[in-house]
């Protein structure tokens, strides 16, 4: 079946630094990928829709200058958390539509801790 | 917000019992999906039901959809300890391909 690989699976960074998270579709092409954020014991909140070759579409309340999304190819989308703060610590998950009509495929998530 | 709500928030049952989780949403949809998430892990797709379907089965899972009430239910029969996880419903807005997740139900199956 379709596989989405997310890297890294966990990262610890210092306040003020930037962190890049990669989301790759391994055996299919994804013109659209989605980035979610999940705080402990809460649901997934859609942050943005990543569109290959064009600008990402951000959900209301998500700062596009802080969460930079690049979808440069049909198999790779990246999320960069810029000038990270402790409140950005969260679980970030990406997903892609594998066109199988059986739902979207999710990555395994990235646990970000900002210290 | 388009996020749906699920109830109960938490459910604890004995192994072998059935577990039922409910999801309510706000806007018209094309599809509704159910996902499972083990603690600290990614999501696993369980089942997709389209807006013109009323019921769907997959193994021990049974999903119903009532578009007039904007609600769905997930039934897990003959539960196992390995079913312990959080379960989320996700709905797409009628006009787009983004999916929004419900608040989730944390299921604990006691051996």
């Amino acid at each position: 079946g379709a596989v989405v690989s997310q890297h890294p699976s966990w990262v610890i960074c210092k306040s003020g630094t930037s962190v890049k998270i990669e989301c790759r579709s391994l055996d299919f092409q994804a013109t659209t990928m989605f980035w979610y954020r999940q705080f402990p014991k809460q649901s997934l909140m859609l942050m943005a829709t990543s569109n290959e070759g064009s600008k990402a579409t951000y959900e209301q309340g998500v700062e596009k200058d802080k969460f930079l999304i690049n979808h440069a190819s049909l198999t790779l989308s990246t999320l960069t958390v810029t000038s990270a703060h402790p409140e950005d610590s969260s679980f970030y998950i990406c997903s892609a539509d594998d066109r199988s009509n059986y739902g979207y495929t999710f990555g395994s998530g990235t646990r970000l801790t900002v210290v | 917000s388009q996020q749906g709500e699920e109830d109960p928030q938490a459910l604890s049952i004995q192994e072998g019992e059935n577990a039922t989780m409910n999801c309510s949403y706000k806007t018209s949809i094309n599809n509704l999906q159910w996902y499972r998430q083990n603690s600290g892990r990614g999501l696993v797709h369980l089942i997709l039901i389209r807006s013109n379907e009323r019921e769907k089965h997959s193994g021990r899972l049974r999903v119903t959809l009532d578009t007039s009430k904007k609600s769905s239910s997930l039934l897990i029969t003959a539960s196992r300890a390995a079913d312990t996880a959080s379960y989320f419903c996700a709905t797409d807005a009628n006009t787009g391909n983004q999916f929004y997740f419900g608040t989730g139900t944390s299921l604990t199956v006691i051996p």
Side-chain angles (χ1 to χ4, degrees):
Chain A
V3 176
V4 171
S5 173
Q6 195 170 335
H7 178 81
S9 56
W10 61 271
V11 58
I12 301 173
C13 71
K14 292 184 178 180
S15 289
T17 62
S18 295
V19 173
K20 180 185 285 188
I21 302 170
E22 293 186 348
C23 181
R24 293 182 185 273
S25 57
L26 295 188
D27 47 4
F28 65 99
Q29 294 183 332
T31 56
T32 305
M33 292 186 178
F34 303 92
W35 287 96
Y36 293 84
R37 179 170 53 183
Q38 184 181 34
F39 291 106
K41 298 190 184 301
Q42 295 190 25
S43 186
L44 284 77
M45 298 299 296
L46 179 64
M47 298 175 66
T49 302
S50 172
N51 304 298
E52 188 269 334
S54 64
K55 291 183 179 180
T57 305
Y58 290 83
E59 294 296 301
Q60 195 172 12
V62 178
E63 299 174 59
K64 63 180 181 180
D65 294 330
K66 181 168 184 60
F67 298 99
L68 300 179
I69 291 173
N70 185 287
H71 196 153
S73 78
L74 287 171
T75 58
L76 174 64
S77 174
T78 61
L79 169 68
T80 301
V81 183
T82 63
S83 187
H85 290 280
E87 56 264 33
D88 298 325
S89 297
S90 187
F91 193 54
Y92 293 86
I93 309 176
C94 67
S95 73
D97 182 2
D98 62 13
R99 302 293 179 189
S100 68
N101 291 321
Y102 292 106
Y104 286 18
T105 301
F106 281 77
S108 54
T110 297
R111 171 83 51 201
L112 170 64
T113 302
V114 184
V115 297
Chain B
S1 169
Q2 297 189 29
Q3 187 178 41
E5 292 187 6
E6 293 177 60
D7 77 274
Q9 284 189 325
L11 179 61
S12 184
I13 59 174
Q14 295 289 331
E15 200 167 32
E17 294 180 338
N18 296 340
T20 300
M21 291 159 265
N22 302 295
C23 167
S24 59
Y25 55 92
K26 298 177 182 176
T27 64
S28 296
I29 62 171
N30 291 316
N31 303 299
L32 184 145
Q33 301 181 56
W34 283 90
Y35 287 86
R36 166 201 168 112
Q37 183 183 34
N38 286 76
S39 181
R41 308 291 293 275
L43 275 74
V44 175
H45 177 256
L46 295 177
I47 201 164
L48 178 151
I49 187 166
R50 304 188 187 283
S51 60
N52 62 353
E53 297 175 309
R54 291 297 167 257
E55 188 170 312
K56 209 162 183 180
H57 298 254
S58 176
R60 293 185 295 114
L61 306 180
R62 173 176 163 249
V63 168
T64 62
L65 178 64
D66 187 335
T67 53
S68 66
K69 295 181 180 178
K70 292 187 170 58
S71 67
S72 174
S73 67
L74 169 66
L75 168 68
I76 303 175
T77 60
S79 64
R80 305 166 182 168
D83 294 329
T84 295
S86 291
Y87 293 83
F88 296 93
C89 67
T91 56
D92 65 338
N94 217 349
T95 57
N97 60 350
Q98 300 95 335
F99 273 86
Y100 296 90
F101 282 79
T103 49
T105 294
S106 176
L107 173 66
T108 302
V109 180
I110 302 167

